[in-house]
């Protein structure tokens, strides 16, 4: 699963060793942008030297100030668009330039989708060595996007701080510990924005001390809000430095009366001086310790700490594609590697004989088991551990799979797992990927025994550079492949 916060690069201090490159830090250059990289930055060249310019689009001529140089490429900040692309779009978010959460709002949505399809193609060709055009090429479908690509996120994680004596919450200003106050995030579900605003107001009224990141003082560090988009249930998580909240009763009462749909108010205690959001201890202050949501017909319990896809509408699109590619008819044995809380596994369990899910985080496996029970799906077995260890052990036990689904983190599949897949030889492999470069690398390994039939990009994170896709692989000797 991918985060939507992109890393911010600070300006470079005077380089210790002078690099032999045609630009220097601080210099303003005019550059023609020829493409977009996988993070959504414009790519241009100055005397053959590659420069990445955030906010610039392919086909544009821009002026940009160089702020970081490396041996083979550098980074520059957009100062002026000299010739604009016809696809340039006025970002509707007033804080767009300062936030960094989205990197493609300035590109028309249709073009974002086309760009993501192209990124998948480029990676398959460059890294995987596959042909993506002409005879025998892999079909990379147009990206499945959202009809309304706004307000799709079901989870907000907002840092709280103090600015001029007032409690504020929003996002960190670039290169600083200060927080820019934000009451509206256009990719966030409206219920989450409303809940965060209500909590900030209540905390201000009750004089609850905001956290000071530099000194490590104060009480309220983060407000996390989750919404079950299908059920309307809202969970508010207050992350505090201490367990005792002096005004606790009033705060809970204010949240109960002000936040529509609130079903759960939870406190998480994080006393450490760290930028990790959650601490170890979680207590329920009011209501249930979980909220519920549905993806398709499957119901999920979501706790304060459990991982859940952030764009539920597109998750359904992605999982339906995964189900279609798995070709399950009700008689198949399926393995779901990197299964998280069992979302794909349970989706597949509806249409197969048995599903085996494996995931490295034990708490997620506990959630997966609970979710299987919640849906009365008795044909799913879950085990905690590394997929590359657990699946070979299943193989030793005599478990055979007709289909193996993998949905690894950004770094892709472990080599040992790919070898196990080649040994187990399921008829189909369905590869769900949040990183086209590791997808291409891993497909190249699997190509020894499998044909990559098609790849479907799905836009899970509109306006950000993240590219999600799902690939269908068929074993070389299967009937369908011959057909
Ligand atoms: N399929 C799930 C989660 C995918 S995210 C969903 O759609 O919601 C990738 C998951 O892989 C994470 O939950 C992560 O904890 C898990 N993971 C990372 N390394 C792993 C490994 N070596 N073996 C098994 N699971 C792993």
């Amino acid at each position: 699963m991918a985060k939507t916060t992109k890393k911010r690069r600070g300006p470079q201090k005077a380089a210790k060793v002078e690099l032999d490159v045609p630009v220097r830090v601080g210099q303003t250059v005019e550059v023609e942008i020829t493409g977009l990289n996988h993070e959504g930055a414009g790519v241009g060249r100055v005397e053959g030297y590659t420069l990445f310019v955030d906010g610039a689009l392919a086909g544009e001529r821009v002026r940009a100030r160089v702020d970081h140089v490396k041996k083979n490429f550098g980074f520059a900040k957009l100062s002026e668009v000299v010739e604009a692309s016809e696809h340039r779009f006025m970002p509707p978010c007033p804080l767009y330039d300062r936030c960094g959460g989205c990197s493609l709002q300035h590109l028309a949505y249709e073009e974002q989708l086309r760009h993501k399809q192209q990124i998948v193609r480029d990676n398959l060709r460059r890294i995987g060595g596959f042909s993506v055009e002409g005879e025998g090429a892999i079909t990379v479908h147009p990206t499945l996007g959202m009809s309304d690509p706004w307000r799709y996120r079901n989870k907000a994680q907002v840092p709280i701080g103090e600015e001029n004596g007032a409690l504020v919450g929003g996002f960190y200003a670039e290169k600083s510990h200060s927080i820019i106050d934000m009451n509206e995030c256009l990719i966030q579900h409206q219920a989450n924005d409303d809940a965060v605003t209500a909590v900030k107001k209540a905390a201000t009224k009750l004089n609850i001390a905001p956290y000071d990141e530099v000194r490590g003082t104060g009480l309220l560090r983060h407000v996390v809000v989750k919404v079950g988009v299908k059920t309307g249930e809202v969970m508010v998580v207050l992350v505090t430095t201490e367990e005792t909240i002096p005004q606790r009763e009033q705060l809970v009462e204010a949240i109960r009366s002000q936040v529509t749909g609130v079903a759960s108010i939870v406190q998480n205690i994080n006393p450490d001086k760290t930028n990790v959001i959650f601490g170890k201890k979680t207590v329920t202050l009011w209501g249930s310790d979980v909220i519920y949501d549905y993806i398709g017909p499957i119901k999920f319990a979501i706790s304060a700490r459990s991982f859940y896809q952030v764009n539920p509408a597109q998750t359904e699109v992605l999982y339906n594609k995964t189900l279609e590619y798995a070709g399950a008819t009700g008689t198949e044995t399926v393995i779901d590697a990197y299964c998280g809380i069992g979302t794909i596994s349970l989706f597949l369990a509806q249409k197969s004989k048995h599903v085996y899910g494996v995931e490295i985080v034990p708490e997620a496996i506990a959630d997966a088991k609970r979710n299987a029970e919640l849906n009365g799906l008795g044909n799913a077995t879950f085990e905690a551990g590394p997929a590359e260890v657990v699946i070979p052990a299943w193989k030793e036990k005599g478990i055979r799979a007709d289909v193996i689904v993998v949905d690894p983190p950004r770094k892709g599949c472990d080599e040992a797992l790919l070898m196990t897949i080649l040994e187990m030889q399921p008829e189909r492999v369905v590869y769900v990927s949040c990183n086209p470069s590791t997808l291409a690398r891993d497909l190249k390994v699997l190509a020894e025994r499998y044909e990559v039939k098609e790849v479907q990009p799905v836009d899970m994170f509109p306006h950000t550079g993240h590219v999600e896709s799902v690939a269908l692989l068929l074993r070389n000797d299967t009937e369908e492949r011959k057909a």
Side-chain angles (χ1 to χ4, degrees), residues 252-268:
V252 167
E253 190 43 47
I255 294 171
R256 279 184 61 185
S257 61
Q258 299 299 316
V259 176
T260 313
V262 68
S264 165
I265 306 175
V266 171
Q267 181 187 7
N268 174 273

Side-chain angles (χ1 to χ4, degrees), residues 3 21 28 54 62 245 269 391 429 451 456 472 474 478:
K3 283 200 204 124
V21 298
T28 295
D54 275 345
V62 302
I245 305 176
I269 300 107
I391 297 176
V429 176
E451 187 192 359
Q456 176 63 66
L472 166 62
L474 293 180
T478 53

Side-chain angles (χ1 to χ4, degrees), residues 119-238:
I119 290 277
V120 173
R121 279 210 179 110
D122 288 350
N123 279 282
L124 288 173
R125 187 169 47 79
R126 284 196 203 134
I127 298 170
F130 294 102
S131 91
V132 288
E133 258 164 327
E135 185 90 356
I138 301 179
T139 306
V140 180
H141 296 286
T143 310
L144 295 173
M146 301 186 80
S147 51
D148 177 15
W150 301 100
R151 297 216 169 269
Y152 59 83
R153 279 185 67 95
N154 60 8
K155 182 176 81 170
Q157 305 193 123
V158 176
I160 300 294
E162 189 178 314
E163 203 56 46
N164 303 326
L167 181 143
V168 292
F171 57 89
Y172 290 105
E174 198 177 354
K175 291 170 263 150
S176 95
H177 292 283
S178 64
I179 289 168
I180 311 266
D181 199 38
M182 174 172 68
N183 290 316
E184 264 211 307
C185 169
L186 300 179
I187 62 169
Q188 197 58 254
H189 195 286
Q190 187 70 52
N192 292 348
D193 271 354
D194 292 349
V196 172
T197 302
V199 174
K200 285 198 295 192
K201 266 195 194 141
T204 301
K205 201 164 161 209
L206 294 166
N207 279 322
I208 289 173
Y211 184 57
D212 182 321
E213 202 194 21
V214 179
R215 293 201 202 96
T217 56
L219 183 63
L220 187 59
R221 307 174 68 124
H222 267 87
V223 175
V224 177
V225 181
K226 300 185 179 192
V227 58
V229 169
K230 294 258 175 77
T231 59
E233 291 178 355
V234 172
M235 169 182 278
V236 174
V237 188
L238 306 165

Side-chain angles (χ1 to χ4, degrees), residues 360-425:
I360 206 161
V361 176
E363 292 82 2
I365 287 294
D367 284 343
K369 288 179 177 165
R370 182 157 69 160
N371 287 327
E373 220 164 281
L374 190 64
N375 291 281
L377 289 165
N379 60 338
T381 309
F382 293 101
E383 192 170 326
E388 60 276 17
V389 175
V390 172
I391 297 176
W394 285 344
K395 178 173 168 270
E396 288 310 306
K397 271 202 230 157
I399 294 170
R400 300 265 164 276
D402 300 297
V403 185
I404 296 184
V405 177
V406 298
D407 182 10
R410 288 187 64 76
K411 67 173 193 241
C413 290
D414 191 281
E415 174 96 31
L417 176 65
L418 298 175
M419 293 307 137
T420 305
I421 294 174
L422 289 172
E423 283 164 23
M424 287 180 94
Q425 300 186 11

Side-chain angles (χ1 to χ4, degrees), residues 1 307 309 319 338-340 343-344 359-361 385-388 407 409:
M1 156 57 216
F307 171 80
Q309 294 279 359
Y319 290 179
Y338 308 90
C339 73
T343 33
I344 293 178
E359 155 66 45
I360 206 161
V361 176
E388 60 276 17
D407 182 10

